[in-house]
Every structure is written in structure tokens, then in C-alpha cells.
Amino acid sequence: MNFKWLKILVVIVVLFLVFSISFGCKTVATTTTAAAAETTSGEPIKLVFWWWGEQEAPGLEKFVNESIKMYEEKNPNI
């Protein structure tokens, strides 16, 4: 009897994850499309990047700063 409830629980969790991922991807795609439309106007774009810093991994701050510099060189209007 307990095995039946375990199967039901697994199905519910999988469905929840599938719908969560699907909704998240739609949100990202919509945001990306809107941002792409804004870039054609030629106006400067503000890009916000949030992170926890060195708490995540030692040396990450140096990597992030280098990545930001390279990104800004390729995308001067951002």
C-alpha cells in the first residue's frame, strides 16, 4: 500500500517540476525577446547582475570581474 503512495508522490513531484521549468523558460524567453527589441533602439541598456560574491567559491570575484570586462568590450551599449 505504501508503494502506491510513493508512486503518486513521485508523479506529482515530476509534474510540478515539468510545469515549473516550462513556465520559467517562457518567462526567460519573453524577457530575452523584450530585451532584444530594446537593443534595436540604440539607447544604452542597463544589465543587472546579482550574486553572493566570494561566498560561492573562492576566486569567483576575479572571474566575474574579468567576464564583465570582456562582455562590456563586446557590448558597449550595455
Side-chain angles (χ1 to χ4, degrees):
M1 187 74 171
N2 286 337
F3 188 67
K4 178 181 174 183
W5 286 108
L6 181 61
K7 283 184 186 178
I8 293 171
L9 180 63
V10 168
V11 169
I12 290 171
V13 168
V14 168
L15 287 174
F16 175 77
L17 290 174
V18 167
F19 287 117
S20 296
I21 291 170
S22 297
F23 179 73
C25 291
K26 287 180 185 177
T27 304
V28 169
T30 304
T31 305
T32 304
T33 304
E38 289 177 12
T39 58
T40 59
S41 68
E43 296 179 17
I45 297 171
K46 180 180 179 183
L47 181 64
V48 179
F49 179 70
W50 293 38
W51 65 300
W52 288 99
E54 291 289 314
Q55 295 171 341
E56 294 178 8
L60 184 61
E61 185 172 0
K62 180 182 176 189
F63 170 78
V64 169
N65 289 335
E66 290 173 354
S67 299
I68 290 170
K69 183 178 176 184
M70 290 187 310
Y71 185 84
E72 288 175 340
E73 287 173 359
K74 290 183 179 182
N75 305 284
N77 67 326
I78 298 178

